[in-house]
Amino acid sequence: AVTSSFDLIEYEDGRWSAAYLTDGDVNMRFSTKPITTVDPETMMPPEPVTIDLDLGAAKGFDTLCLIPRVDTFDAEGGVPNFPFDFEVLVSNDGTEFTSVLSVETEENVDSMMQIFALEQQNAQFLRLKVSQIGTMAADEGTQNPYRIQFAELLLFDAE
């Protein structure tokens, strides 16, 4: 199950849905609705946007992979809507979360899968806490349509 502190796009017949974040198909994608409160100078929302995954039971993992969408570009030819700054948190009860990684991206990820090594975890819940949103998609215009979008999120145990 995938939930967020912000509204998510749910197109049953389209290519965007919360369920597509972990479905294994990079052609089906995850997206928030436009976040119109993002400051265009800093690309920061007034408060972080959280994306929570309930894994159904505690699972062991030590690697997080985020696959950006690659079906369109931002105005500079990079990947749109991939977060620049975020924190990865874990929990076993869905209430008390512990930070296990902070990520600050200084440049666009350029269509490349992002792989993040974590210390060994055993948790039922994973939270991405996004504090800075990446550049918007060029095909959406300039009316502040900031979003958070991924093609896929993968967790695995590399050991």
Side-chain angles (χ1 to χ4, degrees):
V2 178
T3 58
S4 175
S5 64
F6 198 81
D7 293 334
L8 301 176
I9 290 181
E10 292 293 341
Y11 293 140
E12 291 180 20
D13 297 330
R15 297 180 310 191
W16 301 97
S17 172
Y20 297 155
L21 183 59
T22 59
D23 71 339
D25 184 348
V26 296
N27 296 308
M28 308 302 274
R29 299 172 201 94
F30 165 88
S31 179
T32 64
K33 290 185 179 178
I35 305 171
T36 59
T37 56
V38 171
D39 180 332
E41 297 296 318
T42 64
M43 295 190 299
M44 296 173 75
E47 55 187 64
V49 175
T50 60
I51 300 165
D52 292 348
L53 282 80
D54 181 346
L55 306 175
K59 308 274 187 197
F61 56 91
D62 64 6
T63 306
L64 166 71
C65 295
L66 294 175
I67 302 174
R69 67 178 286 196
V70 295
D71 61 313
T72 192
F73 299 102
D74 66 9
E76 288 82 42
V79 171
N81 305 313
F82 194 89
F84 277 11
D85 292 345
F86 60 94
E87 188 175 6
V88 179
L89 303 103
V90 296
S91 172
N92 280 315
D93 63 8
T95 303
E96 298 291 324
F97 283 83
T98 302
S99 179
V100 295
L101 179 70
S102 290
V103 176
E104 293 181 16
T105 305
E106 293 190 16
E107 57 187 54
N108 198 289
V109 297
D110 293 328
S111 304
M112 295 173 42
M113 177 187 331
Q114 301 299 296
I115 301 171
F116 304 99
L118 309 168
E119 288 188 23
Q120 184 65 42
Q121 302 297 317
N122 190 36
Q124 179 174 339
F125 299 91
L126 178 96
R127 172 176 284 171
L128 296 181
K129 185 177 177 183
V130 179
S131 55
Q132 185 179 25
I133 297 174
T135 52
M136 63 183 82
D139 63 357
E140 290 196 296
T142 58
Q143 295 185 11
N144 201 19
Y146 291 96
R147 307 171 188 269
I148 299 169
Q149 295 178 321
F150 301 105
E152 198 70 23
L153 181 149
L154 305 169
L155 288 174
F156 59 94
D157 199 339
E159 292 184 6

